[in-house]
C-alpha cells in the first residue's frame, strides 16, 4: 500500500465515477437553463467573515467545520474554504451591485464545498453541491418554483421516490417569542442535556431541534411547534407557498423540526430525502428563504431563497438503487493495422476522424493485428477500421465488431460511413454532439 493517500474525508473520482458526476452536472445545467438560473462561480475560499456573518457564528458549520487557512504573515485577511455557496454568492451580489439588475437575480453554481466534519458514508470533507439562488423576490410563488425545481432534478437524474419535507421558521418578528417558548420547554431538562446542547439552550435554542443526540430527539418530539407561533405575515406566506405547491401537484410532508443548520434562514425551509430515510446525514439537499442575509452582509434589506443539492449523496443513492447511468467514454471506432510498426499512419487516420467530430482511437501499440482487434473489443468500440494493403488504392476495411461483419470503404468516405453506421446502430453517445 503506498504511503501517500487522499486526505481523510475526501475521495478521488475515478473516470467511471466522474462520469456519473458529469451526468448530474448536465442534468443540473439543463434544468438551470430551462428555469432561467444563470451559472456563475465564486472563489473556493473567502474571507472568514463572509461565513461568520452570513451563516452565523453559533452554527456547526462555522464553529466546528470551517477549513480555516493559515494566515500569511504578509496579509491581514483570514480566509476559509467555502463550506457552502450561498454566503459567497450574496457577497458577490453586493460587491458587483447586482441589486441594480432586474430582480430577482437567479443564479446557479456547481462545485466543491469543504467542511471539516467527521467523515462517514455520505459525509465528506470535500463534497459537490448544485446550488441555486434567487435574490430579490419575496415569494411565495418563487418558493414553490424553487422547491419544484429541486424535486425535478432528482427525477431527471434518475432517482425516484424522493420526498420533500417542508416547514416555516418565521422571521425576526415572530421567532423570538417562539425561541422563548422553546427555552421554556428545554430548560427543566438542562441538567440532562449534552454539554453542546446545554450551551445552545442559551445561545441558539433553535438548533436543539435538529440535534443528532438521541436524548434530544426524544425531548424535541414534545417541543412546541413553530407553525403555531408564526406571525400573521409569516403564516400567510407559508399558506401561499403550500397553495402554490398544491397547484403544481407537488406532494410534501410538513416537518416542524426542520430548522436547518445555518442561521440565515427565514420563513420557508425544505429538505429532500429518499423516502423512508431521514436524519441530518441523509438529506439529499435542502434550502430555504433567507430574507435577512443580504442585510447581514452589508446590503439593503433584500429577500432571497435557494437550495443546495448534495451531489455525492445523489451519486450514492443512484448506486444503491442500481440506477447509475452507463459510463460512456467508449470510442466509436479504433484504427488498427496489419503493419504493427505503422503507428503514425493509424494515428493520422484517427486524428482525421476526431477532427470530423467522431470518438476515435488509434491502436498505438506495436503489436500484431489480432491483438489490436482484441484491444478494440475490450475498449467497447463498435467498429474497427483495419488499415492494410488496400490503402494503396485508397481503401480500408470497416469491421462492425458487434455484428461481426466487414466491408471495404474509401478512406475519403470513412468519417461519413462511420457516422451513418453509428446512427443506424443508435450509437449516438459515442459521437460528440
Ligand atoms: P446544507 O443543508 O448545509 O445547505 O447542504 C445542502 C446539502 O449538501 C445537504 O443536504 C447534503 O446533501 C449536502 N452536504 C452537506 N454537507 C455535506 C457533507 N459533509 N458531505 C456530503 N454532502 C454534504 C446549504 O449548504 C445551503 N447553502 C443551501 C441553501 C442555498 N440555502 C439557501 N440557498
Amino acid at each position: 500500500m503506498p504511503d501517500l493517500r487522499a486526505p481523510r474525508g475526501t475521495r478521488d473520482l475515478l473516470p467511471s465515477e466522474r462520469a456519473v458526476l458529469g451526468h448530474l452536472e448536465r442534468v443540473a445545467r439543463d434544468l438551470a437553463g430551462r428555469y432561467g438560473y444563470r451559472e456563475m462561480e465564486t472563489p473556493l475560499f473567502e474571507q472568514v467573515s463572509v461565513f461568520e456573518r452570513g451563516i452565523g457564528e453559533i452554527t456547526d458549520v462555522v464553529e466546528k467545520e470551517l477549513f480555516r487557512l493559515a494566515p500569511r504573515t504578509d496579509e491581514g485577511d483570514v480566509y476559509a474554504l467555502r463550506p457552502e455557496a450561498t454566503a459567497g454568492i450574496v457577497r458577490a451580489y453586493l460587491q458587483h451591485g447586482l441589486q441594480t439588475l432586474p430582480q430577482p437575480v437567479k443564479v446557479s453554481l456547481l462545485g466543491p464545498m469543504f467542511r471539516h466534519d467527521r467523515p462517514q458514508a455520505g459525509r465528506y470533507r470535500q463534497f459537490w453541491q448544485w446550488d441555486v439562488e434567487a435574490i430579490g423576490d419575496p415569494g411565495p410563488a418563487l418558493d414553490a418554483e424553487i422547491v419544484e425545481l429541486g424535486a425535478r432534478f432528482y427525477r431527471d437524474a434518475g432517482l425516484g421516490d424522493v420526498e420533500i419535507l417542508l416547514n416555516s421558521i418565521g422571521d425576526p418578528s415572530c421567532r423570538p417569542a417562539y425561541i422563548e417558548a422553546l427555552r421554556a420547554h428545554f430548560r427543566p431538562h438542562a441538567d440532562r442535556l449534552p454539554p453542546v446542547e446545554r450551551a445552545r439552550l442559551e445561545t441558539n435554542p433553535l438548533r436543539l431541534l435538529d440535534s443528532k443526540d438521541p436524548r434530544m430527539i426524544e425531548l424535541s418530539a414534545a417541543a412546541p411547534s413553530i407553525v403555531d407561533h408564526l406571525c400573521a405575515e409569516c403564516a400567510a406566506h407559508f399558506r401561499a407557498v403550500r397553495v402554490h405547491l398544491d397547484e403544481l401537484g407537488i406532494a410534501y410532508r410538513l416537518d416542524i423540526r426542520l430548522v436547518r443548520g445555518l442561521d440565515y434562514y427565514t420563513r420557508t425551509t425544505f429538505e429532500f430525502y429518499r423516502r423512508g430515510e431521514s436524519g441530518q446525514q441523509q438529506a439529499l439537499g435542502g434550502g430555504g428563504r433567507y430574507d435577512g442575509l443580504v442585510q447581514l452582509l452589508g446590503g439593503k434589506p433584500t429577500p432571497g431563497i435557494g437550495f443546495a443539492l448534495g451531489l455525492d449523496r445523489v451519486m450514492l443513492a443512484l448506486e444503491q438503487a442500481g440506477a447509475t447511468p452507463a459510463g460512456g467514454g467508449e470510442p466509436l471506432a479504433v484504427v488498427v493495422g496489419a503493419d504493427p510498426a505503422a503507428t503514425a499512419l493509424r494515428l493520422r487516420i484517427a486524428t482525421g476522424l476526431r477532427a470530423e467530430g467522431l470518438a476515435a482511437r488509434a491502436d498505438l501499440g506495436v503489436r500484431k493485428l489480432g491483438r489490436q482487434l482484441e484491444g478494440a473489443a475490450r475498449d467497447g468500440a463498435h467498429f474497427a477500421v483495419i488499415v492494410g494493403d488496400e490503402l494503396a488504392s485508397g481503401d480500408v476495411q470497416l469491421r462492425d465488431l458487434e455484428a461481426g461483419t466487414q466491408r471495404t470503404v474509401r478512406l475519403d468516405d470513412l468519417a461519413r460511413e462511420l457516422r451513418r453506421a453509428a446512427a443506424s446502430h443508435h450509437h449516438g453517445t459515442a459521437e460528440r454532439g
Side-chain angles (χ1 to χ4, degrees), residues 370-418:
R371 301 289 302 282
Q372 296 182 41
L373 282 166
E374 281 166 29
R378 232 189 347 263
D379 259 9
H382 209 127
F383 297 97
V385 175
I386 305 170
V387 186
D389 294 340
E390 328 80 288
L391 190 65
S393 50
D395 291 330
V396 291
Q397 294 293 315
L398 182 58
R399 180 181 295 188
D400 183 326
L401 293 169
E402 285 180 11
T405 54
Q406 184 167 323
R407 64 201 168 87
T408 305
V409 301
R410 304 287 301 161
L411 182 59
D412 289 344
D413 291 337
L414 182 58
R416 196 164 356 116
E417 288 285 341
L418 270 172

Side-chain angles (χ1 to χ4, degrees), residues 93-112:
Y93 173 89
L94 288 170
Q95 181 177 339
H96 304 286
L98 303 189
Q99 321 77 302
T100 60
L101 299 180
Q103 305 289 302
V105 170
K106 291 167 136 188
V107 295
S108 156
L109 186 150
L110 277 159

Side-chain angles (χ1 to χ4, degrees), residues 21 31 60 93 110 126 150 152 156 177 190 219 261 279 317 360 372 411 429:
L21 180 60
L31 285 173
D60 279 349
Y93 173 89
L110 277 159
Q126 175 175 344
R152 185 172 301 275
D156 284 9
L219 273 179
Q372 296 182 41
L411 182 59
T429 50

Side-chain angles (χ1 to χ4, degrees), residues 253-314:
R253 193 150 63 82
L254 292 177
D255 183 350
I256 57 152
R257 281 183 299 284
L258 191 70
V259 295
R260 310 269 304 129
L262 318 166
D263 271 3
Y264 50 58
Y265 289 109
T266 53
R267 297 191 168 173
T268 314
T269 57
F270 53 92
E271 274 178 350
F272 300 98
Y273 285 89
R274 288 190 78 190
R275 201 172 299 283
E277 289 179 13
S278 58
Q280 278 294 303
Q281 280 116 59
Q282 295 314 323
L284 293 171
R289 187 159 272 291
Y290 46 83
D291 294 345
L293 179 56
V294 174
Q295 208 173 359
L296 276 176
L297 293 183
K300 286 205 285 284
T302 309
I305 181 167
F307 64 60
L309 311 187
L311 301 184
D312 304 77
R313 291 186 189 172
V314 177

Side-chain angles (χ1 to χ4, degrees), residues 84 86 115 122 124 127 129 133 260 264-265 283-285 306 308 310:
E84 57 108 51
T86 313
R115 296 185 193 178
Y124 305 105
F127 57 96
Q129 281 187 346
E133 311 290 351
R260 310 269 304 129
Y264 50 58
Y265 289 109
L284 293 171

Side-chain angles (χ1 to χ4, degrees), residues 149-433:
L149 170 57
R152 185 172 301 275
F153 170 82
Y154 298 109
R155 232 176 313 137
D156 284 9
L159 198 62
D161 227 21
V162 170
E163 192 178 30
I164 302 168
L165 301 191
L166 185 73
N167 192 22
S168 170
I169 60 166
D171 70 6
S173 67
C174 51
R175 208 179 315 151
Y178 174 65
I179 286 177
E180 273 322 307
L182 213 50
R183 274 209 185 95
H185 170 77
F186 284 108
R187 202 168 272 137
H189 310 281
D191 296 349
R192 293 190 291 126
L193 299 186
V196 175
E197 276 73 9
R198 198 178 315 145
R200 289 203 169 155
L201 183 54
E202 299 314 319
T203 54
N204 196 351
L206 216 49
R207 309 245 29 89
L208 297 177
L209 290 178
D210 67 357
S211 164
K212 297 151 201 166
D213 189 287
R215 281 166 295 178
M216 294 305 299
I217 292 172
E218 210 182 300
L219 273 179
S220 297
S225 158
I226 177 90
V227 174
D228 299 332
H229 288 74
L230 294 179
C231 60
E233 292 78 8
C234 287
H237 182 94
F238 196 40
R239 262 197 310 278
V241 172
R242 298 178 59 183
V243 167
H244 280 83
L245 286 173
D246 293 346
E247 200 66 38
L248 291 176
I250 299 291
Y252 55 85
R253 193 150 63 82
L254 292 177
D255 183 350
I256 57 152
R257 281 183 299 284
L258 191 70
V259 295
R260 310 269 304 129
L262 318 166
D263 271 3
Y264 50 58
Y265 289 109
T266 53
R267 297 191 168 173
T268 314
T269 57
F270 53 92
E271 274 178 350
F272 300 98
Y273 285 89
R274 288 190 78 190
R275 201 172 299 283
E277 289 179 13
S278 58
Q280 278 294 303
Q281 280 116 59
Q282 295 314 323
L284 293 171
R289 187 159 272 291
Y290 46 83
D291 294 345
L293 179 56
V294 174
Q295 208 173 359
L296 276 176
L297 293 183
K300 286 205 285 284
T302 309
I305 181 167
F307 64 60
L309 311 187
L311 301 184
D312 304 77
R313 291 186 189 172
V314 177
M315 289 169 73
L316 277 174
L318 284 173
E319 204 176 291
Q320 282 161 11
T324 302
E330 300 87 9
L332 173 65
V334 175
V335 182
V336 299
D339 175 3
T343 49
L345 177 61
R346 296 199 284 280
L347 182 58
R348 184 161 54 76
I349 294 173
T351 303
L353 294 175
R354 291 162 178 168
E356 295 280 345
L358 294 165
R361 193 174 69 75
D363 194 304
L364 300 179
V366 182
R367 51 184 182 170
K368 290 210 178 78
L369 177 59
R371 301 289 302 282
Q372 296 182 41
L373 282 166
E374 281 166 29
R378 232 189 347 263
D379 259 9
H382 209 127
F383 297 97
V385 175
I386 305 170
V387 186
D389 294 340
E390 328 80 288
L391 190 65
S393 50
D395 291 330
V396 291
Q397 294 293 315
L398 182 58
R399 180 181 295 188
D400 183 326
L401 293 169
E402 285 180 11
T405 54
Q406 184 167 323
R407 64 201 168 87
T408 305
V409 301
R410 304 287 301 161
L411 182 59
D412 289 344
D413 291 337
L414 182 58
R416 196 164 356 116
E417 288 285 341
L418 270 172
R419 198 172 284 121
R420 190 181 309 142
S424 70
H425 280 280
H426 304 291
H427 206 290
T429 50
E431 196 178 344
R432 281 194 295 112

Side-chain angles (χ1 to χ4, degrees), residues 38-58:
R38 298 182 64 206
E39 192 165 0
M40 69 175 284
E41 299 284 347
T42 63
L44 299 193
F45 61 96
E46 294 269 359
Q47 291 178 328
V48 166
S49 37
V50 170
F51 307 124
E52 285 174 344
R53 281 161 59 187
I55 298 167
E57 289 188 66
I58 316 201

